[in-house]
Amino acid sequence: VLKNYYGRIDLLYLDTTYCHRRYRHIPRQSDAIQFIADKCVQESKREHVVILIGTYSIGKERILKQVALQCGKPLVVSAHKHRLLHTIYDDESEDRHWFTTDSQLSNIQVVSMSEISFAKMWRYKLDKRTKVIGFRATGWELKNNK
């Protein structure tokens, strides 16, 4: 199949990191996405809640799209991430409107993966009553839990 698109392929590297049996308990991607989206719907309806979804420069777009669709509101992103997402989604894509830089429009924010830690999440508290919930959806979290 790849030959039809790219011509002759001399060498192909496949990342089989998570094929090892020690990772067999990792949920399917679709199940993880649905779990995060369902939790965001449940928690975003509550008062005084800020939800953070950790991402890398690129990646996690499927999670972001599902959360935005199910919650029915845009996700707040940085100006840099906003430009990046607008590069990924072309001008005619409906997915572009699910992201905003206006923090008044949503209590769900897309942040750097490094922001999802107890040491940093407190900065997102708006007041004493604010509950901050962070999602760090990555298999790398398992590397220390062998």
Short mmCIF file of all heavy atoms in Angstrom, two decimals, residues 28-41 51-56 59-71 73 75 85 89 98-99 108-110 113 135-139:
data_model
loop_
_atom_site.label_atom_id
_atom_site.label_comp_id
_atom_site.label_asym_id
_atom_site.label_seq_id
_atom_site.Cartn_x
_atom_site.Cartn_y
_atom_site.Cartn_z
N ARG A 28 -7.27 0.21 24.85
CA ARG A 28 -7.25 0.61 23.44
C ARG A 28 -7.37 2.13 23.38
O ARG A 28 -7.98 2.76 24.24
CB ARG A 28 -8.41 -0.01 22.69
CG ARG A 28 -8.32 -1.50 22.54
CD ARG A 28 -9.46 -2.02 21.73
NE ARG A 28 -10.70 -1.30 22.06
CZ ARG A 28 -11.90 -1.72 21.79
NH1 ARG A 28 -12.08 -2.85 21.17
NH2 ARG A 28 -12.97 -1.02 22.13
N GLN A 29 -6.79 2.72 22.33
CA GLN A 29 -6.83 4.17 22.19
C GLN A 29 -8.27 4.69 22.20
O GLN A 29 -8.58 5.68 22.85
CB GLN A 29 -6.13 4.58 20.90
CG GLN A 29 -6.05 6.09 20.74
CD GLN A 29 -5.43 6.49 19.43
OE1 GLN A 29 -5.91 6.10 18.36
NE2 GLN A 29 -4.37 7.28 19.50
N SER A 30 -9.15 4.02 21.50
CA SER A 30 -10.55 4.47 21.44
C SER A 30 -11.20 4.45 22.82
O SER A 30 -12.00 5.35 23.15
CB SER A 30 -11.35 3.62 20.46
OG SER A 30 -11.33 2.26 20.86
N ASP A 31 -10.86 3.46 23.64
CA ASP A 31 -11.42 3.39 24.99
C ASP A 31 -10.87 4.52 25.87
O ASP A 31 -11.61 5.12 26.66
CB ASP A 31 -11.11 2.04 25.64
CG ASP A 31 -11.83 0.88 24.97
OD1 ASP A 31 -12.85 1.13 24.27
OD2 ASP A 31 -11.39 -0.26 25.14
N ALA A 32 -9.58 4.80 25.74
CA ALA A 32 -8.96 5.88 26.52
C ALA A 32 -9.55 7.24 26.13
O ALA A 32 -9.87 8.07 26.99
CB ALA A 32 -7.45 5.88 26.33
N ILE A 33 -9.73 7.45 24.84
CA ILE A 33 -10.33 8.71 24.36
C ILE A 33 -11.74 8.87 24.91
O ILE A 33 -12.11 9.94 25.39
CB ILE A 33 -10.32 8.75 22.81
CG1 ILE A 33 -8.88 8.92 22.30
CG2 ILE A 33 -11.21 9.88 22.29
CD1 ILE A 33 -8.74 8.73 20.81
N GLN A 34 -12.53 7.81 24.84
CA GLN A 34 -13.91 7.88 25.32
C GLN A 34 -13.97 8.13 26.82
O GLN A 34 -14.79 8.89 27.31
CB GLN A 34 -14.67 6.61 24.95
CG GLN A 34 -16.17 6.74 25.13
CD GLN A 34 -16.75 7.86 24.28
OE1 GLN A 34 -16.58 7.88 23.07
NE2 GLN A 34 -17.42 8.81 24.92
N PHE A 35 -13.07 7.49 27.57
CA PHE A 35 -13.02 7.69 29.02
C PHE A 35 -12.73 9.15 29.36
O PHE A 35 -13.43 9.76 30.18
CB PHE A 35 -11.93 6.79 29.65
CG PHE A 35 -11.73 7.04 31.11
CD1 PHE A 35 -12.56 6.45 32.05
CD2 PHE A 35 -10.72 7.89 31.54
CE1 PHE A 35 -12.37 6.70 33.40
CE2 PHE A 35 -10.53 8.14 32.89
CZ PHE A 35 -11.36 7.54 33.83
N ILE A 36 -11.73 9.73 28.70
CA ILE A 36 -11.37 11.13 28.96
C ILE A 36 -12.52 12.05 28.57
O ILE A 36 -12.88 12.96 29.33
CB ILE A 36 -10.07 11.50 28.22
CG1 ILE A 36 -8.89 10.75 28.84
CG2 ILE A 36 -9.83 13.01 28.25
CD1 ILE A 36 -7.61 10.85 28.06
N ALA A 37 -13.11 11.82 27.42
CA ALA A 37 -14.23 12.67 26.97
C ALA A 37 -15.41 12.59 27.93
O ALA A 37 -16.00 13.61 28.30
CB ALA A 37 -14.65 12.29 25.55
N ASP A 38 -15.74 11.38 28.37
CA ASP A 38 -16.85 11.21 29.31
C ASP A 38 -16.58 11.92 30.64
O ASP A 38 -17.47 12.58 31.20
CB ASP A 38 -17.13 9.73 29.58
CG ASP A 38 -17.72 9.00 28.38
OD1 ASP A 38 -18.19 9.67 27.43
OD2 ASP A 38 -17.71 7.75 28.40
N LYS A 39 -15.35 11.81 31.14
CA LYS A 39 -15.00 12.48 32.40
C LYS A 39 -15.05 14.00 32.23
O LYS A 39 -15.48 14.71 33.14
CB LYS A 39 -13.61 12.05 32.88
CG LYS A 39 -13.56 10.65 33.41
CD LYS A 39 -14.41 10.54 34.67
CE LYS A 39 -14.39 9.13 35.20
NZ LYS A 39 -15.32 8.94 36.30
N CYS A 40 -14.61 14.49 31.09
CA CYS A 40 -14.65 15.94 30.84
C CYS A 40 -16.08 16.45 30.80
O CYS A 40 -16.38 17.51 31.34
CB CYS A 40 -13.90 16.29 29.55
SG CYS A 40 -12.12 16.18 29.70
N VAL A 41 -16.97 15.69 30.17
CA VAL A 41 -18.39 16.09 30.14
C VAL A 41 -18.93 16.16 31.56
O VAL A 41 -19.56 17.14 31.95
CB VAL A 41 -19.22 15.08 29.29
CG1 VAL A 41 -20.71 15.30 29.51
CG2 VAL A 41 -18.87 15.19 27.83
N ILE A 51 -10.36 22.08 33.74
CA ILE A 51 -9.86 20.80 33.23
C ILE A 51 -8.68 21.08 32.31
O ILE A 51 -8.78 21.92 31.40
CB ILE A 51 -10.97 20.05 32.47
CG1 ILE A 51 -12.13 19.74 33.41
CG2 ILE A 51 -10.41 18.77 31.84
CD1 ILE A 51 -13.36 19.20 32.72
N LEU A 52 -7.59 20.39 32.56
CA LEU A 52 -6.37 20.53 31.74
C LEU A 52 -6.14 19.23 30.99
O LEU A 52 -6.20 18.15 31.57
CB LEU A 52 -5.17 20.82 32.62
CG LEU A 52 -5.28 22.01 33.58
CD1 LEU A 52 -4.03 22.11 34.43
CD2 LEU A 52 -5.51 23.30 32.80
N ILE A 53 -5.86 19.35 29.70
CA ILE A 53 -5.52 18.18 28.89
C ILE A 53 -4.11 18.40 28.37
O ILE A 53 -3.85 19.34 27.63
CB ILE A 53 -6.51 17.99 27.73
CG1 ILE A 53 -7.94 17.84 28.25
CG2 ILE A 53 -6.10 16.77 26.89
CD1 ILE A 53 -8.99 17.79 27.18
N GLY A 54 -3.21 17.53 28.79
CA GLY A 54 -1.81 17.65 28.38
C GLY A 54 -1.57 17.12 26.98
O GLY A 54 -2.10 16.08 26.60
N THR A 55 -0.77 17.88 26.22
CA THR A 55 -0.42 17.45 24.86
C THR A 55 1.05 17.76 24.61
O THR A 55 1.68 18.52 25.34
CB THR A 55 -1.25 18.17 23.78
OG1 THR A 55 -0.93 19.56 23.79
CG2 THR A 55 -2.73 17.98 23.99
N TYR A 56 1.55 17.18 23.54
CA TYR A 56 2.87 17.54 23.03
C TYR A 56 2.64 18.59 21.96
O TYR A 56 1.52 19.07 21.80
CB TYR A 56 3.56 16.31 22.44
CG TYR A 56 3.68 15.16 23.42
CD1 TYR A 56 2.95 14.00 23.25
CD2 TYR A 56 4.53 15.27 24.52
CE1 TYR A 56 3.07 12.95 24.15
CE2 TYR A 56 4.64 14.22 25.43
CZ TYR A 56 3.91 13.07 25.23
OH TYR A 56 4.02 12.04 26.12
N GLY A 59 -0.07 15.81 18.27
CA GLY A 59 -0.55 14.58 18.88
C GLY A 59 -1.70 14.90 19.81
O GLY A 59 -1.90 16.03 20.22
N LYS A 60 -2.48 13.92 20.12
CA LYS A 60 -3.64 14.00 21.01
C LYS A 60 -4.82 14.73 20.37
O LYS A 60 -5.79 15.06 21.04
CB LYS A 60 -3.30 14.66 22.36
CG LYS A 60 -2.06 14.12 23.04
CD LYS A 60 -2.19 12.66 23.35
CE LYS A 60 -0.93 12.15 24.05
NZ LYS A 60 -0.61 10.79 23.74
N GLU A 61 -4.75 15.00 19.05
CA GLU A 61 -5.85 15.70 18.40
C GLU A 61 -7.15 14.92 18.47
O GLU A 61 -8.22 15.50 18.58
CB GLU A 61 -5.51 16.02 16.93
CG GLU A 61 -4.51 17.14 16.75
CD GLU A 61 -3.06 16.70 16.92
OE1 GLU A 61 -2.78 15.47 16.91
OE2 GLU A 61 -2.20 17.58 17.07
N ARG A 62 -7.07 13.59 18.42
CA ARG A 62 -8.30 12.79 18.52
C ARG A 62 -8.98 12.99 19.87
O ARG A 62 -10.20 13.06 19.95
CB ARG A 62 -7.99 11.31 18.30
CG ARG A 62 -7.62 10.97 16.88
CD ARG A 62 -7.36 9.50 16.74
NE ARG A 62 -6.85 9.21 15.43
CZ ARG A 62 -6.06 8.20 15.15
NH1 ARG A 62 -5.68 7.37 16.10
NH2 ARG A 62 -5.65 8.00 13.92
N ILE A 63 -8.18 13.04 20.92
CA ILE A 63 -8.75 13.28 22.25
C ILE A 63 -9.40 14.66 22.29
O ILE A 63 -10.53 14.81 22.74
CB ILE A 63 -7.67 13.19 23.35
CG1 ILE A 63 -7.12 11.77 23.46
CG2 ILE A 63 -8.21 13.67 24.69
CD1 ILE A 63 -5.91 11.64 24.39
N LEU A 64 -8.68 15.66 21.81
CA LEU A 64 -9.19 17.03 21.86
C LEU A 64 -10.50 17.16 21.10
O LEU A 64 -11.46 17.77 21.59
CB LEU A 64 -8.14 18.00 21.29
CG LEU A 64 -6.78 17.99 21.97
CD1 LEU A 64 -5.84 18.99 21.29
CD2 LEU A 64 -6.89 18.26 23.46
N LYS A 65 -10.54 16.59 19.91
CA LYS A 65 -11.76 16.67 19.10
C LYS A 65 -12.94 16.00 19.81
O LYS A 65 -14.03 16.55 19.86
CB LYS A 65 -11.52 16.04 17.74
CG LYS A 65 -12.72 16.11 16.83
CD LYS A 65 -12.42 15.49 15.48
CE LYS A 65 -13.65 15.47 14.63
NZ LYS A 65 -13.42 14.82 13.34
N GLN A 66 -12.71 14.82 20.37
CA GLN A 66 -13.80 14.10 21.03
C GLN A 66 -14.29 14.85 22.27
O GLN A 66 -15.50 14.92 22.52
CB GLN A 66 -13.36 12.68 21.40
CG GLN A 66 -14.49 11.79 21.87
CD GLN A 66 -15.52 11.53 20.78
OE1 GLN A 66 -15.19 11.49 19.59
NE2 GLN A 66 -16.77 11.35 21.18
N VAL A 67 -13.38 15.42 23.04
CA VAL A 67 -13.77 16.19 24.22
C VAL A 67 -14.60 17.40 23.81
O VAL A 67 -15.66 17.67 24.38
CB VAL A 67 -12.52 16.63 25.04
CG1 VAL A 67 -12.90 17.66 26.09
CG2 VAL A 67 -11.86 15.42 25.69
N ALA A 68 -14.13 18.13 22.80
CA ALA A 68 -14.87 19.31 22.34
C ALA A 68 -16.26 18.93 21.81
O ALA A 68 -17.25 19.59 22.13
CB ALA A 68 -14.07 20.03 21.26
N LEU A 69 -16.33 17.87 21.03
CA LEU A 69 -17.62 17.42 20.50
C LEU A 69 -18.59 17.04 21.61
O LEU A 69 -19.74 17.47 21.61
CB LEU A 69 -17.42 16.23 19.56
CG LEU A 69 -16.86 16.54 18.18
CD1 LEU A 69 -16.47 15.25 17.46
CD2 LEU A 69 -17.88 17.31 17.36
N GLN A 70 -18.13 16.24 22.54
CA GLN A 70 -19.02 15.77 23.61
C GLN A 70 -19.39 16.88 24.59
O GLN A 70 -20.50 16.90 25.10
CB GLN A 70 -18.40 14.59 24.35
CG GLN A 70 -18.54 13.30 23.58
CD GLN A 70 -18.13 12.08 24.38
OE1 GLN A 70 -17.39 11.27 23.88
NE2 GLN A 70 -18.59 11.95 25.62
N CYS A 71 -18.47 17.77 24.87
CA CYS A 71 -18.76 18.87 25.80
C CYS A 71 -19.52 20.00 25.13
O CYS A 71 -20.15 20.82 25.81
CB CYS A 71 -17.46 19.39 26.42
SG CYS A 71 -16.68 18.21 27.55
N LYS A 73 -18.33 22.56 23.50
CA LYS A 73 -17.70 23.88 23.64
C LYS A 73 -16.26 23.79 23.18
O LYS A 73 -15.66 22.72 23.16
CB LYS A 73 -17.80 24.39 25.07
CG LYS A 73 -17.17 23.51 26.12
CD LYS A 73 -17.33 24.20 27.47
CE LYS A 73 -17.46 23.22 28.60
NZ LYS A 73 -17.68 23.88 29.87
N LEU A 75 -12.14 24.25 23.13
CA LEU A 75 -11.07 24.06 24.10
C LEU A 75 -10.11 25.24 23.99
O LEU A 75 -9.80 25.70 22.90
CB LEU A 75 -10.32 22.76 23.82
CG LEU A 75 -11.18 21.50 23.68
CD1 LEU A 75 -10.29 20.28 23.48
CD2 LEU A 75 -12.09 21.30 24.86
N LEU A 85 -2.84 24.06 15.18
CA LEU A 85 -4.08 23.35 14.87
C LEU A 85 -4.71 23.86 13.58
O LEU A 85 -5.31 23.10 12.83
CB LEU A 85 -5.05 23.45 16.04
CG LEU A 85 -4.64 22.63 17.27
CD1 LEU A 85 -5.44 23.06 18.49
CD2 LEU A 85 -4.79 21.14 17.03
N TYR A 89 -5.73 21.48 10.50
CA TYR A 89 -7.09 21.49 9.96
C TYR A 89 -7.21 22.60 8.93
O TYR A 89 -7.02 23.76 9.27
CB TYR A 89 -8.12 21.68 11.08
CG TYR A 89 -8.07 20.59 12.12
CD1 TYR A 89 -7.70 20.85 13.42
CD2 TYR A 89 -8.39 19.28 11.78
CE1 TYR A 89 -7.66 19.84 14.38
CE2 TYR A 89 -8.35 18.26 12.72
CZ TYR A 89 -7.99 18.55 14.01
OH TYR A 89 -7.95 17.56 14.95
N TRP A 98 -13.39 24.23 17.07
CA TRP A 98 -13.38 23.63 18.40
C TRP A 98 -12.24 24.15 19.27
O TRP A 98 -12.09 23.73 20.40
CB TRP A 98 -13.31 22.11 18.30
CG TRP A 98 -14.58 21.50 17.79
CD1 TRP A 98 -14.75 20.80 16.65
CD2 TRP A 98 -15.87 21.56 18.41
NE1 TRP A 98 -16.06 20.41 16.51
CE2 TRP A 98 -16.78 20.86 17.58
CE3 TRP A 98 -16.36 22.12 19.59
CZ2 TRP A 98 -18.12 20.72 17.88
CZ3 TRP A 98 -17.70 21.97 19.90
CH2 TRP A 98 -18.56 21.28 19.05
N PHE A 99 -11.45 25.07 18.75
CA PHE A 99 -10.31 25.59 19.50
C PHE A 99 -10.35 27.11 19.53
O PHE A 99 -10.68 27.75 18.56
CB PHE A 99 -9.00 25.11 18.85
CG PHE A 99 -8.95 23.62 18.70
CD1 PHE A 99 -9.18 23.02 17.47
CD2 PHE A 99 -8.72 22.81 19.79
CE1 PHE A 99 -9.16 21.64 17.34
CE2 PHE A 99 -8.70 21.43 19.67
CZ PHE A 99 -8.92 20.85 18.44
N ILE A 108 -12.10 24.22 29.83
CA ILE A 108 -11.24 23.12 29.42
C ILE A 108 -10.07 23.69 28.63
O ILE A 108 -10.27 24.36 27.62
CB ILE A 108 -12.00 22.09 28.57
CG1 ILE A 108 -13.25 21.60 29.30
CG2 ILE A 108 -11.08 20.91 28.21
CD1 ILE A 108 -14.15 20.72 28.47
N GLN A 109 -8.87 23.46 29.13
CA GLN A 109 -7.68 24.04 28.52
C GLN A 109 -6.72 22.95 28.04
O GLN A 109 -6.54 21.94 28.71
CB GLN A 109 -6.94 24.93 29.52
CG GLN A 109 -7.76 26.10 29.99
CD GLN A 109 -6.96 26.99 30.92
OE1 GLN A 109 -5.76 27.13 30.79
NE2 GLN A 109 -7.65 27.58 31.89
N VAL A 110 -6.11 23.20 26.91
CA VAL A 110 -5.08 22.32 26.37
C VAL A 110 -3.74 22.94 26.75
O VAL A 110 -3.49 24.10 26.45
CB VAL A 110 -5.21 22.20 24.83
CG1 VAL A 110 -4.11 21.32 24.26
CG2 VAL A 110 -6.59 21.68 24.46
N MET A 113 2.22 18.95 28.14
CA MET A 113 2.20 17.75 28.97
C MET A 113 2.93 18.00 30.30
O MET A 113 2.55 17.47 31.33
CB MET A 113 2.85 16.60 28.20
CG MET A 113 2.58 15.25 28.78
SD MET A 113 0.86 14.71 28.67
CE MET A 113 0.79 14.12 26.99
N PHE A 135 -5.44 15.68 32.73
CA PHE A 135 -5.34 14.42 32.01
C PHE A 135 -3.98 14.38 31.31
O PHE A 135 -3.64 15.29 30.55
CB PHE A 135 -6.45 14.28 30.96
CG PHE A 135 -7.80 14.08 31.57
CD1 PHE A 135 -8.66 15.15 31.76
CD2 PHE A 135 -8.21 12.82 31.98
CE1 PHE A 135 -9.90 14.97 32.33
CE2 PHE A 135 -9.46 12.63 32.56
CZ PHE A 135 -10.30 13.71 32.73
N ARG A 136 -3.24 13.34 31.60
CA ARG A 136 -1.92 13.14 31.00
C ARG A 136 -1.97 11.80 30.27
O ARG A 136 -1.53 10.78 30.79
CB ARG A 136 -0.87 13.13 32.11
CG ARG A 136 0.53 13.14 31.64
CD ARG A 136 1.48 13.17 32.85
NE ARG A 136 2.82 13.08 32.43
CZ ARG A 136 3.69 14.07 32.43
NH1 ARG A 136 3.32 15.25 32.91
NH2 ARG A 136 4.90 13.90 32.00
N ALA A 137 -2.52 11.82 29.07
CA ALA A 137 -2.77 10.60 28.31
C ALA A 137 -1.53 10.20 27.51
O ALA A 137 -1.32 10.66 26.40
CB ALA A 137 -3.95 10.81 27.37
N THR A 138 -0.70 9.38 28.12
CA THR A 138 0.50 8.93 27.45
C THR A 138 0.98 7.61 28.03
O THR A 138 0.91 7.41 29.23
CB THR A 138 1.64 9.98 27.53
OG1 THR A 138 2.82 9.44 26.97
CG2 THR A 138 1.91 10.39 28.95
N GLY A 139 1.44 6.74 27.18
CA GLY A 139 2.01 5.47 27.63
C GLY A 139 3.33 5.65 28.35
O GLY A 139 3.77 4.78 29.09
#
